[in-house]
């Protein structure tokens, strides 16, 4: 398969060339979409049906599971197809409701709303929810996790890459620390939201101590409405139905989505654009720092760039509210966001608050996010637009 996404994702379109909101969603890989649609149009049956039409669809689904498993280096039986990253995050959280006694769960202070809001819902049912604090750079340390563990902890959730600042979490150190703390005790499950990490930074899901992980197709040029939950060992699903996906996620399977997602993982999971993006982002941050009144968030990123994904940059611009910068760039044909698209209608910034970012910086910050189609020339044009807008407010 052609590994160059520029060949089939309408790269000549200005809307994609000047698109810097990849953390919200990515353009659909046209070739993969068409190939997957053709296959599922030809094999349109219900994979749970026992007749030949159903068996044909089941074969496609099984092949997609095997392809996805091979791409992320896990076993096919550890792959569960879901409706997206949110459901993949919530299934492990909801699984605690099947336990006979209530205990506590730990979530990081920088989690995506898919985890944060579901954890708060569990709190309303009597579960204790402990928030793991981050440091000023938005990093969750292993010590911060183990300091909150106790005999009643059943689940720990820490994302791999933060969707607003790009901070890379030390998930392997955390996994080791949880294992070490658990010697002679019951080990809590460790769940990792990998939605912003897949295809962006190297991942080792088979690492001992990681029990489950969430993925979303539309972040890596796949269709919306399809996700994957990796589960190392069996868990007991809380929601029940027809028993599809071994009872973990009932409901008629989205064969088209599974086929397309598996092909996207096969094509994009290897992070082949990582070094190129590091160079582009380093240039971008250097140029941003030359702009009067611009602050990189967190400020420690400039001295420790390897602690952050090169695909996400958060910056604040003095005297320019984030939504104003967004609209000003939008009017010039550049597309960014102020934070998570899942909470874009809310004015609060819980991730930045958790990092103790100054209120004035929280109000004036925006997120630039990149993908495999991002070119340096487009970034240069973005910088010119940002400088012009900033000049209008600060002169």
């Amino acid at each position: 398969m052609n590994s160059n996404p520029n060949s089939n994702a309408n790269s000549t379109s200005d809307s994609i060339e000047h698109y810097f909101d990849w953390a919200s969603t990515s353009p659909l890989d046209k070739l993969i979409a068409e190939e997957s649609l053709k296959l599922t149009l030809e094999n349109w049956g219900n994979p749970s049906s026992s007749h030949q039409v159903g068996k044909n669809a089941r074969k496609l689904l099984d092949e997609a599971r095997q392809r996805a498993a091979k791409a992320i280096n896990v076993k096919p039986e550890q792959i569960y197809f879901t409706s997206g990253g949110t459901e993949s995050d919530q299934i492990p959280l909801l699984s605690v409701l099947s336990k006979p006694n209530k205990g506590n769960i730990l979530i990081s202070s920088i989690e995506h709303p898919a985890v944060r809001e579901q954890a708060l819902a569990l709190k309303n049912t009597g579960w204790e929810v402990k928030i793991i604090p981050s440091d000023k750079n938005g990093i969750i340390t292993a010590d911060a996790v183990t300091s909150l563990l106790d005999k009643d902890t059943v689940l720990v959730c820490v994302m791999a890459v933060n969707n607003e600042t790009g901070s890379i979490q030390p998930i392997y150190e955390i996994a080791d620390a949880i294992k070490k703390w658990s010697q002679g005790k019951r080990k809590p499950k460790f769940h990792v939201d990998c939605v912003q990490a897949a295809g962006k930074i190297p991942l080792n899901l088979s690492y001992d101590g990681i029990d489950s992980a969430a993925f979303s197709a539309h972040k890596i040029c796949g269709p919306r409405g399809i996700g994957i939950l990796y589960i190392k060992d069996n868990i007991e699903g809380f929601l029940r139905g027809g028993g599809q996906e071994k009872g973990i996620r009932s409901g008629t399977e989205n064969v088209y989505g599974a086929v397309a997602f598996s092909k996207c993982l096969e094509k994009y999971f290897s992070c082949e654009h990582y070094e190129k993006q590091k160079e582009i982002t380093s240039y971008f941050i250097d140029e941003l720092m030359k702009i009067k009144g611009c602050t990189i968030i967190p400020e420690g990123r400039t001295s420790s760039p390897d602690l952050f994904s090169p695909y996400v940059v958060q910056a604040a611009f003095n005297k320019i509210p984030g939504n104003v910068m967004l609209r000003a760039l939008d009017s010039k044909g550049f597309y960014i966001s102020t934070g998570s698209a899942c909470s874009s209608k809310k004015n609060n910034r819980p991730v930045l608050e958790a990092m103790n970012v100054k209120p004035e910086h929280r109000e004036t910050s925006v997120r630039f996010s990149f993908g495999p189609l991002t070119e340096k020339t487009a970034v240069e044009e973005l910088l010119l637009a940002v400088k012009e807008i900033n000049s209008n407010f600060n002169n």
Side-chain angles (χ1 to χ4, degrees):
M1 183 179 290
N2 189 342
S3 63
N4 180 9
N6 290 284
S7 64
N8 54 61
N10 302 324
S11 62
T12 58
S13 168
D14 284 344
S15 63
I16 293 180
E17 181 183 354
H18 291 157
Y19 183 71
F20 300 100
D21 196 20
W22 286 74
S24 294
T25 197
S26 59
L28 185 62
D29 187 302
K30 185 178 178 182
L31 179 59
I32 287 178
E34 290 175 346
E35 286 179 345
S36 303
L37 182 60
K38 183 176 185 294
L39 285 169
T40 47
L41 284 173
E42 294 170 351
N43 300 278
W44 45 264
N46 187 324
S48 296
S49 298
S50 57
H51 48 61
Q52 189 59 49
V53 175
K55 290 178 181 178
N56 292 342
R58 169 60 59 179
K59 183 173 183 291
L60 268 190
L61 186 64
D62 289 343
E63 289 173 350
R65 198 182 313 276
Q66 292 165 5
R67 191 182 299 113
K70 183 178 180 181
I72 65 177
N73 195 30
V74 298
K75 300 175 182 177
E77 58 267 28
Q78 296 173 322
I79 294 288
Y80 298 80
F81 290 110
T82 70
S83 65
T86 292
E87 187 180 26
S88 295
D89 275 329
Q90 292 181 345
I91 288 173
L93 281 159
L94 290 172
S95 72
V96 306
L97 294 174
S98 63
K99 296 186 178 298
N101 300 309
K102 291 182 172 64
N104 65 67
I105 61 176
L106 275 57
I107 69 166
S108 83
S109 59
I110 60 168
E111 290 302 301
H112 186 275
V115 170
R116 184 175 64 248
E117 296 300 323
Q118 187 60 64
L120 293 177
L122 288 174
K123 188 176 181 179
N124 293 334
T125 70
W127 280 82
E128 181 184 6
V129 177
K130 297 182 180 181
I131 306 298
I132 312 164
S134 76
D135 65 16
K136 64 181 180 180
N137 287 325
I139 304 293
I140 305 297
T141 66
D143 287 343
V145 174
T146 55
S147 68
L148 294 176
L149 291 172
D150 64 36
K151 63 181 180 62
D152 296 320
T153 304
V154 299
L155 178 67
V156 177
C157 298
V158 179
M159 66 196 329
V161 173
N162 182 258
N163 54 299
E164 293 196 35
T165 67
S167 58
I168 300 174
Q169 305 307 312
I171 56 173
Y172 309 114
E173 293 176 23
I174 292 171
D176 289 342
I178 294 173
K179 280 179 54 184
K180 184 177 179 180
W181 179 91
S182 301
Q183 290 179 357
K185 313 181 191 73
R186 180 192 61 187
K187 177 189 172 296
K189 298 286 188 180
F190 180 35
H191 174 72
V192 181
D193 178 336
C194 291
V195 169
Q196 295 293 344
K200 306 292 179 62
I201 68 168
L203 282 173
N204 179 10
L205 271 298
S206 60
Y207 193 86
D208 192 22
I210 296 176
D211 298 294
S212 59
F215 300 88
S216 178
H218 76 99
K219 306 294 187 181
I220 56 169
C221 300
R224 298 178 181 89
I226 184 72
I228 281 175
L229 173 62
Y230 157 75
I231 304 176
K232 181 180 179 181
D233 299 309
N234 291 335
I235 63 172
E236 186 172 354
F238 175 71
L239 298 176
R240 306 302 168 90
Q244 292 91 341
E245 298 299 298
K246 295 192 286 187
I248 296 298
R249 199 276 176 178
S250 292
T252 302
E253 299 92 340
N254 177 358
V255 179
Y256 164 75
V259 171
F261 193 4
S262 67
K263 288 178 177 290
C264 285
L265 285 170
E266 190 174 57
K267 182 172 180 177
Y268 295 106
F269 193 76
S270 64
C271 311
E272 66 178 89
H273 298 277
Y274 184 73
E275 292 301 325
K276 170 193 169 185
Q277 189 56 51
K278 280 177 66 175
E279 293 179 5
I280 292 175
T281 300
S282 177
Y283 163 77
F284 180 63
I285 291 175
D286 287 345
E287 292 300 308
L288 283 180
M289 291 174 64
K290 296 176 184 177
I291 299 175
K292 178 182 178 181
C294 179
T295 302
I296 303 300
I297 300 176
E299 294 182 53
R301 174 171 188 153
T302 56
S303 59
S304 304
D306 290 340
L307 296 180
F308 297 85
S309 166
Y311 290 91
V312 178
V313 175
Q314 183 89 201
F317 296 87
N318 184 44
K319 299 180 182 180
I320 312 177
N323 59 351
V324 173
M325 175 63 84
L326 186 155
R327 291 197 299 269
L329 283 171
D330 187 42
S331 69
K332 294 177 177 292
F334 296 88
Y335 312 105
I336 65 167
S337 69
T338 55
S340 171
C342 296
S343 57
S344 61
K345 295 181 180 179
K346 300 177 182 178
N347 292 323
N348 62 325
R349 302 293 299 275
V351 170
L352 302 188
E353 290 175 19
M355 295 165 56
N356 293 316
V357 173
K358 297 176 182 178
E360 58 268 29
H361 287 165
R362 297 202 300 265
E363 294 168 5
T364 59
S365 67
V366 293
R367 179 183 69 184
F368 304 93
S369 53
F370 314 106
L373 298 182
T374 302
E375 297 292 344
K376 186 177 179 182
T377 53
V379 169
E380 291 170 342
E381 292 168 3
L382 169 65
L383 284 163
L384 288 175
V386 170
K387 289 175 182 177
E388 181 180 348
I389 295 166
N390 188 76
S391 178
N392 291 337
F393 278 85
N394 287 282
N395 280 342

